[in-house]
Amino acid sequence: MPLVRRDSTPREWNVWDLERIAGGQEGRNPALHEERALLLMSLRQFANASGDLPVDFDALIREAFGSALDELRMQELR
């Protein structure tokens, strides 16, 4: 797997993409999966009609998803 340069520029995240990432990691760490599921359920109320969250949630998303976001970054580079 090629290395992906981590961009620390605050950005908007899409709640549907985050749910897909969380679902793909289900079973690896049940407690973490439950935490992410609850977080995403709460964040839906702040997402726009396309599922995009305000940039204000960037730090929270990065903390909650950490290296799991690398999967999304790789897809964006394709």
Side-chain angles (χ1 to χ4, degrees), residues 14 16 46-52:
N14 185 281
W16 312 123
F46 300 102
N48 66 19
S50 298
D52 296 325

Side-chain angles (χ1 to χ4, degrees), residues 3-4 9-10 12 17 20 23 25 30 36-38 40 43 50-52 57-58 67-68 76 78:
L3 294 176
V4 177
T9 305
E12 293 179 345
D17 290 338
R20 185 179 38 74
Q25 297 197 340
R36 287 176 177 167
L38 291 170
L40 289 169
L43 288 175
S50 298
D52 296 325
F57 290 101
D58 178 70
S67 63
E76 290 174 349
R78 292 181 188 159

Side-chain angles (χ1 to χ4, degrees), residues 15-59:
V15 72
W16 312 123
D17 290 338
L18 295 170
E19 285 187 358
R20 185 179 38 74
I21 290 169
Q25 297 197 340
E26 187 175 0
R28 294 183 189 173
N29 182 336
L32 181 59
H33 178 72
E34 183 177 348
E35 179 182 320
R36 287 176 177 167
L38 291 170
L39 173 63
L40 289 169
M41 188 169 42
S42 298
L43 288 175
R44 285 183 197 150
Q45 65 183 315
F46 300 102
N48 66 19
S50 298
D52 296 325
L53 294 162
V55 72
D56 297 342
F57 290 101
D58 178 70

